[in-house]
Amino acid sequence: MFPGGGQPNMQELLQQAQKMQQDLQRAQEELANTEVDGQAGGGLVKATVTGAGELRALKIDPKAVDPEDTETLADLVVAAVQAANENAQTLQQQKLGPLAQGLGGGTGIPGLPF
């Protein structure tokens, strides 16, 4: 596992762990500041969430508003938010996935969201 079969340099390991922690924190901050969209009904309802999954905006085209059928509008809102959250999850995997690889492949590391 270690070159030459020797013991690991603890200082070097600590520095690597600290760098990975900083990279992870930077990626999480970037996710929190990045917005992604999702839509439903051919664009009648659009939702914007951050890469961390926080709902930031919801736009509803007036054509989607039918006072006699609020259920359809509610379904479109839910679908748009779900689509935006799926896009946020994809972004999370793109940003955090490589960091998980460096931490052992993302095999259930406690405290990490992947």
Side-chain angles (χ1 to χ4, degrees):
M1 179 172 180
F2 299 104
Q7 294 296 316
N9 178 331
M10 292 305 288
Q11 185 65 28
E12 187 176 316
L13 286 176
L14 288 173
Q15 287 174 347
Q16 287 176 352
Q18 185 176 23
K19 182 187 180 314
M20 288 180 1
Q21 183 179 12
Q22 290 170 346
D23 290 346
L24 178 61
Q25 185 175 4
R26 190 174 15 247
Q28 288 172 329
E29 288 171 3
E30 190 174 326
L31 283 171
N33 293 320
T34 302
E35 293 183 346
V36 294
D37 295 318
Q39 61 178 331
L44 290 175
V45 177
K46 296 179 183 178
T48 302
V49 300
T50 66
E54 177 187 345
L55 182 62
R56 286 278 174 93
L58 186 63
K59 294 181 184 175
I60 301 172
D61 188 304
K63 291 181 250 171
V65 181
D66 178 356
E68 301 296 319
D69 184 14
T70 58
E71 286 182 28
T72 298
L73 178 56
D75 289 344
L76 290 173
V77 169
V78 169
V81 172
Q82 286 176 336
N85 277 324
E86 288 172 10
N87 292 336
Q89 287 178 345
T90 299
L91 182 63
Q92 287 174 5
Q93 294 203 347
Q94 290 172 349
K95 296 282 184 192
L96 301 177
L99 294 173
Q101 297 289 327
L103 294 172
T107 55
I109 299 170
L112 297 179
F114 41 88

